[in-house]
Amino acid sequence: MADRLAGVPLAPYTTLRTGGPARAFTQARTQDELIATVAEADRADEPVLVLGGGSNLVVCDDGFDGLVVRVATLGVEATSQDGRVLVTVQAGEDWDALVARCVAEGWSGVECLSGVPGLVGSTPIQNVGAYGQDVSQTVAAVRVYDRRAGEVRDLTAAECGFAYRHSAFKHDPGRHVVLAVTYALERSPLSGPVAYKELAARLGVEIGARVPLAEAREAVLELRRGKGMVLDPGDPDTRSAGSFFTNPVLGPEEAAALELRAPGHPRWDMPDGTVKVPAAWLIENAGFPKGYEKGRVRISTKHTLALTNPTGEAGAAELLALAREVREGVHEKFGVWLVNEPVLVGVRL
């Protein structure tokens, strides 16, 4: 069993640089160690926070009154099956390092997720997506420790219940600890069909075109850097949790009501009849431009969806005050409630 430390500040383990101390803190470097640590805490009725890269997390200023288990498991294995490559990755591997390897190896399917911060274990939980790709398109299986059943299980993609920025893991938070993820990728020097207008324009191709993997990766990284979405110690705008709000998905009645308030607003008509609306547009047009400040926190100067802690000195309470102001301002102007994307620990929006 890994050693425990008391009173470890959690702010340095989050990209937002917020969060008070953990009552107890440990790191798990193997699957067995991760399972044993969580199981022991569960038997003792001790609260557990499983910590990955901290890139999608807001921890309260009082910290966490329980055991924080940082996932530090490593390992990547690749096998061939039916013309595809199955890549099984331990939860503690860095996601962008994995994407870089896939591009270098000629494994196609995750290149547009370049530059996304965090660890592999979080990708199926959030159904991480960007620039026309999301991991639900390539996840073949997820190995988990089911805390309720006290056993290791291998879940199929269907059992993961993937939806837009959502999964069965988010629906039943705390039940599963992700141990490893298997991705089914194509052996190809070319990207998947480019599905995002902004990326296609950067690459100078039509929607649906395929480009060399390295070109797709570099174009995505350039776009993300321009929005402060690639972690950089020298860029205060990257002290964020990425997009703080998801793009609202509206039913027909909600969409019709918004059209009355904002005729001709940008929208994506979805196959199921719902309408997805860009949260960034709602925020800006509700009076919250890039760089909007509230004390020591602000909206990113590069990307309206990111709330930032530019000096690293603000607390979670300050950040959430800004988030509430934005959320309520959008609702007052457009009648739409924004939903936070990061996981909130010990706080509510």
Side-chain angles (χ1 to χ4, degrees):
M1 199 71 66
D3 293 337
R4 290 186 174 210
L5 300 173
V8 173
L10 295 177
Y13 291 95
T14 71
T15 54
L16 264 170
R17 296 295 184 261
T18 65
R23 179 158 59 82
F25 181 95
T26 190
Q27 297 196 75
R29 292 179 171 81
T30 68
Q31 275 195 25
D32 288 345
E33 194 171 67
L34 179 54
I35 294 166
T37 301
V38 173
E40 181 184 61
D42 286 344
R43 286 193 295 270
D45 289 327
E46 182 177 22
V48 174
L49 172 63
V50 178
L51 177 65
S55 59
N56 196 46
L57 196 63
V58 181
V59 180
C60 73
D61 298 322
D62 291 335
F64 186 72
D65 188 20
L67 174 64
V68 174
V69 183
R70 186 167 186 267
V71 180
T73 55
L74 300 177
V76 179
E77 296 180 5
T79 59
S80 294
Q81 184 182 89
D82 302 326
R84 301 179 301 170
V85 57
L86 297 182
V87 186
T88 298
V89 191
Q90 297 303 304
E93 287 281 354
D94 180 80
W95 170 253
D96 190 55
L98 173 67
V99 175
R101 177 172 175 180
C102 291
V103 168
E105 297 276 3
W107 302 337
S108 175
V110 293
E111 56 283 344
C112 294
L113 301 176
S114 293
V116 174
L119 304 185
V120 163
S122 65
T123 60
I125 297 172
Q126 188 69 12
N127 188 16
V128 167
Y131 296 101
Q133 281 183 347
D134 58 56
V135 294
S136 67
Q137 297 166 331
T138 53
V139 169
V142 181
R143 173 160 286 194
V144 300
Y145 172 62
D146 184 335
R147 297 170 66 186
R148 187 178 301 165
E151 64 184 22
V152 174
R153 300 177 59 202
D154 290 303
L155 304 180
T156 65
E159 288 173 311
C160 292
F162 290 124
Y164 170 63
R165 300 297 176 271
H166 194 72
S167 69
F169 306 110
K170 288 187 73 174
H171 181 72
D172 193 0
R175 175 175 177 177
H176 298 105
V177 178
V178 175
L179 304 174
V181 186
T182 299
Y183 305 92
L185 304 176
E186 181 186 359
R187 286 192 184 275
S188 173
L190 299 178
S191 70
V194 176
Y196 199 80
K197 184 178 180 181
E198 185 182 19
L199 178 58
R202 175 59 63 100
L203 288 164
V205 301
E206 298 293 324
I207 293 288
R210 301 183 69 177
V211 301
L213 288 172
E215 290 184 19
R217 174 171 167 78
E218 189 50 44
V220 168
L221 288 173
E222 288 174 0
L223 288 170
R224 291 185 67 89
R225 287 190 193 103
K227 299 174 181 178
M229 291 294 186
V230 176
L231 294 181
D232 179 356
D235 184 354
D237 278 331
T238 69
R239 295 190 190 101
S240 77
S243 297
F244 198 90
F245 297 105
T246 59
N247 293 322
V249 178
L250 308 179
E253 291 184 6
E254 296 170 302
L258 177 58
E259 185 63 29
L260 290 174
R261 291 187 184 226
H265 67 83
R267 54 186 281 167
W268 298 286
D269 294 316
M270 307 303 286
D272 62 358
T274 59
V275 174
K276 187 186 293 185
V277 182
W281 185 90
L282 294 171
I283 292 168
E284 289 203 38
N285 286 275
F288 302 99
K290 297 181 183 72
Y292 180 88
E293 292 185 331
K294 188 180 184 71
R296 295 184 294 182
V297 296
R298 72 182 182 205
I299 294 175
S300 168
T301 64
K302 302 180 183 70
H303 185 38
T304 318
L305 273 182
L307 306 186
T308 69
N309 180 10
T311 66
E313 297 173 351
E318 295 172 76
L319 184 90
L320 289 171
L322 173 59
R324 291 186 192 101
E325 182 181 353
V326 170
R327 185 185 64 167
E328 290 165 9
V330 166
H331 184 259
E332 182 177 351
K333 179 75 179 284
F334 296 112
V336 175
W337 284 112
L338 296 179
V339 176
N340 55 286
E341 189 167 327
V343 175
L344 308 182
V345 177
V347 288
R348 291 184 179 181
L349 185 57

